[in-house]
């Protein structure tokens, strides 16, 4: 598996994987990603900004994630405590194609995020998910993330929704 920065021509495949992820969350009975986020416009904006990374094998996109090093407004306040106050990277919008689930793709994407964060001098990586998204919480714990508390999303169509926050010290 290799990792590539997404380009505009990958939008269709990324959108298909997003729709698969939204359907899985719906089947779990969760409202996460059910109100318009992430939208095609979100992907377009973040592809143009160079923030979307894809896990690729033999030209097939297995999954994707957003990687950022700018402070996340949703992470300014936490009911709990972050593991570190040092500069961090954040991973968002983790999604794996239905055909690739159960093959360790998410774990490899987290490892790629850790490598990129280290190379940029970040002390940790943060991420959040829905309280009921047990498959993602399991993947996060397996990758070495530790649960830190509850954050409240700021901005967008999920503004005000609580999420479980995790951090991994590098």
């Amino acid at each position: 598996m290799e990792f590539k920065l997404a380009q505009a021509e990958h939008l269709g495949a990324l959108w298909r994987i997003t729709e698969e992820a939204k359907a899985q969350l719906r089947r779990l009975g969760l409202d996460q990603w059910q109100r318009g986020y992430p939208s095609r416009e979100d992907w377009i904006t973040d592809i143009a900004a160079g923030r979307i990374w894809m896990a690729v094998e033999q030209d097939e996109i297995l999954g994707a994630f957003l990687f950022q090093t700018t402070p996340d407004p949703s992470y300014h306040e936490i009911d709990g405590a972050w593991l570190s106050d040092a500069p961090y990277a954040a991973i968002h919008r983790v999604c794996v194609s239905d055909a690739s689930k159960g093959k360790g793709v998410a774990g490899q994407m987290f490892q790629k995020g850790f490598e990129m964060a280290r190379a940029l001098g970040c002390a940790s990586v943060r991420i959040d998910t829905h309280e009921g998204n047990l498959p993602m919480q399991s993947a996060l714990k397996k990758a070495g993330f530790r649960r830190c508390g509850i954050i409240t999303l700021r901005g967008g169509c999920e503004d005000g929704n609580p999420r479980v926050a995790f951090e991994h010290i590098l």
Side-chain angles (χ1 to χ4, degrees), residues 8-21:
E9 66 262 18
H10 301 120
L11 180 61
L14 293 172
W15 187 246
R16 178 187 49 79
I17 294 169
T18 303
E19 289 295 306
E20 291 174 355

Side-chain angles (χ1 to χ4, degrees), residues 9-71:
E9 66 262 18
H10 301 120
L11 180 61
L14 293 172
W15 187 246
R16 178 187 49 79
I17 294 169
T18 303
E19 289 295 306
E20 291 174 355
K22 287 181 177 188
Q24 178 186 10
L25 293 167
R26 238 183 338 272
R27 286 190 302 275
L28 291 171
L30 304 180
D31 63 356
Q32 183 179 14
W33 288 19
Q34 302 303 305
R35 297 184 195 139
Y37 175 85
S39 68
R40 288 178 77 87
E41 292 74 25
D42 291 323
W43 287 109
I44 291 167
T45 299
D46 290 323
I47 288 169
R51 292 188 290 246
I52 303 298
W53 287 86
M54 306 177 306
V56 179
E57 196 167 74
Q58 297 176 353
D59 294 326
E60 180 184 353
I61 300 170
L62 310 179
F65 65 97
L66 181 150
F67 179 84
Q68 71 182 51
T69 56
T70 55

Side-chain angles (χ1 to χ4, degrees), residues 95-154:
C95 49
V96 175
S97 72
D98 283 352
S100 300
K101 286 194 180 355
K103 298 179 179 177
V105 175
Q108 290 186 57
M109 291 193 304
F110 294 140
Q111 291 303 316
K112 176 63 175 176
F114 298 162
E115 290 171 18
M116 291 189 303
R118 269 189 213 98
L120 294 170
C122 297
S124 69
V125 175
R126 295 179 181 178
I127 193 169
D128 63 87
T129 192
H130 193 284
E131 180 74 41
N133 193 342
L134 300 181
M136 178 57 78
Q137 289 186 46
S138 176
L140 292 172
K141 290 175 185 173
K142 187 175 179 180
F145 282 94
R146 290 185 44 208
R147 184 181 174 132
C148 296
I150 304 294
I151 55 103
T152 302
L153 297 178
R154 301 286 176 229

